[in-house]
Amino acid sequence: MVLGGGARGLAHNGVLKILEENDIKVDLVVGTSIGAFVSGFYSADITAKEMEEIALAIDRAMVAKMLAPGLSSSDFVDSERIRKYLKQYLGEFNIERLQY
C-alpha cells in the first residue's frame, strides 16, 4: 500500500480500517509526507482505529506548534518537537524492528 501526503495520507486510514475489519493482511506499506507517518505508525502496530483517534485529537494550534521553525538554521521545522510527539505513541525502537 502506498500512502500519499496531506489529506490523501490520512484518507488511506479508512482503507486500513476496512482491511483490518476483513482480516486482510498488508505485506508492505510506504508513504510520503503524512503518509510516512501513517505508514510508520501502522508498521509499529498502531491500529487504524488508534490512528484515527490520534488524528482527531490534532487541532490547528498543535499543527502550528509542531511546524514552528526550529532554532537551528538548518531545521525547517523543530524536529525535536516532532520526535517527542512521535515518542508518545511509538516509544523507543529501531526502524529495523518494524513489521513492514
Side-chain angles (χ1 to χ4, degrees):
M1 171 171 285
V2 178
L3 304 177
R8 289 182 301 263
L10 290 175
H12 280 80
N13 194 56
V15 174
L16 293 172
K17 281 175 63 175
I18 297 297
L19 293 174
E20 287 176 358
E21 289 169 5
N22 290 284
D23 293 321
I24 300 171
K25 301 298 180 204
V26 174
D27 292 328
L28 174 72
V29 292
V30 297
T32 183
S33 188
I34 193 67
F37 280 78
V38 174
S39 297
F41 273 55
Y42 199 72
S43 294
D45 214 19
I46 306 292
T47 67
K49 174 95 172 107
E50 291 169 318
M51 283 189 279
E52 180 179 36
E53 291 169 3
I54 292 166
L56 291 174
I58 297 171
D59 60 12
R60 288 180 188 214
M62 182 178 183
V63 172
K65 180 180 176 183
M66 296 296 278
L67 297 180
L71 296 176
S72 166
S73 61
S74 65
D75 287 344
F76 181 69
V77 296
D78 189 341
S79 58
E80 188 57 34
R81 276 191 207 121
I82 294 172
R83 195 173 290 117
K84 285 179 184 177
Y85 175 77
L86 294 174
K87 191 175 178 180
Q88 291 178 78
Y89 301 102
L90 304 174
E92 293 282 347
F93 66 88
N94 293 327
I95 195 168
E96 294 87 359
R97 291 184 20 213
L98 294 176
Q99 70 178 9
Y100 302 108

